[in-house]
Amino acid sequence: MTCKKQVKMSLKGMTTNSDKYNSGCPMAYALDIFGDRWSLLVIRDMAFKGACRYGDFLSGGEGISTNILAQRLKQLEAAGLISKDRDPENGRSFVYRLTDKGRDLAPVLVEIVLWSGRHNMAPHALTGTLDKLRADPDGGAAAIRAGRVP
Amino acid sequence: MTCKKQVKMSLKGMTTNSDKYNSGCPMAYALDIFGDRWSLLVIRDMAFKGACRYGDFLSGGEGISTNILAQRLKQLEAAGLISKDRDPENGRSFVYRLTDKGRDLAPVLVEIVLWSGRHNMAPHALTGTLDKLRADPDGGAAAIRAGRVP
DNA sequence: TATTTAGCTTGCAAAATGCAAGTGATTTAC
DNA sequence: GTAAATCACTTGCATTTTGCAAGCTAAATA
């Protein structure tokens, strides 16, 4: 079994996992960045709900804990999917936004939602969004790409 | 913070996480099933490389450990994404295959690969596949849906 | 000036993961 | 027909990651 050694990089005291699995496979590259329970939920909150502040994500519905959220935001920023800026309206707040690279995940997000819509028989949240995406998947992806909520 | 209590279900001594996060969100439903480091890599091996035996996944390139692989295969089977049958050619072997629900992930897989292709500047594995998917994404997804490797 | 708010950090317990070694049922080799 | 090899796991234990609760700092509000 070829076992890739785990290379840890220190990023301000945080251990991140760049290069953790350097097989060169596109799927592995992607999963290195968002292949965990929480990253895509944070991105979902931004893309589908317009969330942009720390507190928005904390109350995003799934119950992420605050230390994990802080860590994920750093990782996503380090991976270039989101940006972090001071809130001009409120000096103690920051505004997180999807970068081009992050918004470019739009088709991935849309396809995941459509897949769940096809296979999850339990009642859905985001039903309005799901219906819109079903009617016009490309339009939904385009909206996310444009920085709007679909 | 509304914290969903973690409900553990025993499945032959295995603890699975159905209903772990029952927010009803389509994204959360999907991530409940494949929102971890390994599940999508197993599915990738099946969809893009035609892997179907335990040993194929073990030597899939990323170095999954055997206990985790066994666990993931059970979870994916429990979630209805893959099936497990005896190998008619070899009595000590089993054959794992994507179900309809699993193959229906094709567009998700394709979009992830395309996204990585756009943003990963390091040299890729699966380059031939990536080129084909770029040239004809829908054809690639259709191939996976039909049970062929694209 | 005192309190509240927003965004974290820290400490510790619990759970998941990784590694190595072992098990049991075939199947091939001698 | 017995011995070795193969395949698909399981088990035990160390390490890592996660979850929970409490605390901390800077800015805004009362």
Side-chain angles (χ1 to χ4, degrees), chain A residues 1 4 21 23-26 28-32 37 44 61-62 101 104 107 111-112 115-116 118-120 124-125, chain B residues 4 21 23-26 28-32 37 44 61-62 101 104 107 111-112 115-116 118-120 124-125:
Chain A
M1 187 171 74
K4 323 283 164 170
Y21 302 90
S23 73
C25 171
Y29 170 81
L31 292 172
D32 233 28
R37 172 80 216 164
R44 168 202 69 177
E62 251 75 39
K101 183 175 180 179
D104 196 33
E111 290 298 343
I112 290 175
W115 180 84
S116 293
R118 271 178 253 128
H119 297 282
N120 181 12
H124 306 296
Chain B
K4 322 282 163 172
Y21 301 89
S23 73
C25 171
Y29 170 80
L31 292 172
D32 232 28
R37 171 82 215 162
R44 168 203 69 177
E62 249 76 38
K101 184 175 178 179
D104 195 33
E111 290 299 343
I112 291 175
W115 180 84
S116 293
R118 272 177 253 129
H119 296 283
N120 181 13
H124 306 295

Side-chain angles (χ1 to χ4, degrees), chain B residues 16-27:
Chain B
T16 184
N17 25 15
S18 318
D19 222 30
K20 194 165 169 185
Y21 301 89
N22 50 352
S23 73
C25 171
M27 289 283 304

